[in-house]
Amino acid sequence: MESPSKITQEAAKQINALMGEAPDDVLGMRLNVKTTGCSGNSYKMEYVNKGDDLSKDEMFKENGAYIYIPKIFSWMLFGTIIDYIVDDLGNSRFDFVNPNEIARCGCGESFQVSPDKVQT
């Protein structure tokens, strides 16, 4: 199955580094969407634990990294590029380029999508 999201090499390196440091009960990383912020949603990278119900997720692999995506959010994440950036000051974070966004708050912490605008 084609992944609704793409994982850059930089993001894959960071995902694998986090997995290398994760506790034994961690199975992988999940790109989740949380309801928050002034635009309605935010991206959240979180650990998947071995006891979690994975029937609600799809797992994808790219550039040597595995990622779980909740099926309920696949439609809004389709085409999203997951990247990992380090700025000139040494700050680092996952970065998400989502072609389905119709709005993003001024600080960039939350986003909004519309089912009518989803890329397929």
Side-chain angles (χ1 to χ4, degrees):
M1 172 180 283
E2 181 181 346
S3 174
S5 301
K6 304 294 181 200
I7 305 170
T8 67
Q9 289 182 355
E10 292 79 13
K13 286 179 197 173
Q14 182 61 20
I15 289 168
N16 288 328
L18 290 169
M19 289 304 301
E21 299 171 2
D24 290 338
D25 65 337
V26 171
L27 183 62
M29 297 290 299
R30 176 183 290 124
L31 170 55
N32 210 345
V33 175
K34 300 291 182 183
T35 303
T36 187
C38 53
S39 289
N41 302 293
S42 67
Y43 302 103
K44 181 167 176 127
M45 292 293 286
E46 58 190 19
Y47 286 120
V48 176
N49 295 308
K50 289 182 181 175
D52 290 354
D53 178 8
L54 299 179
S55 67
K56 298 177 183 175
D57 291 294
E58 294 184 68
M59 185 190 61
F60 302 96
K61 179 182 179 183
E62 187 168 12
N63 287 322
Y66 292 90
I67 191 152
Y68 292 83
I69 295 177
K71 293 176 186 175
I72 193 168
F73 299 124
S74 291
W75 68 273
M76 80 169 58
L77 297 173
F78 193 87
T80 298
I81 299 169
I82 304 167
D83 199 4
Y84 189 76
I85 59 173
V86 179
D87 67 21
D88 294 337
L89 299 175
N91 299 313
S92 59
R93 64 180 168 82
F94 283 101
D95 187 59
F96 307 95
V97 179
N98 186 341
N100 305 305
E101 287 184 15
I102 60 169
R104 191 177 268 237
C105 70
C107 66
E109 292 297 317
S110 63
F111 69 97
Q112 183 179 20
V113 296
S114 170
D116 300 338
K117 303 290 183 185
V118 173
Q119 306 289 313
T120 55

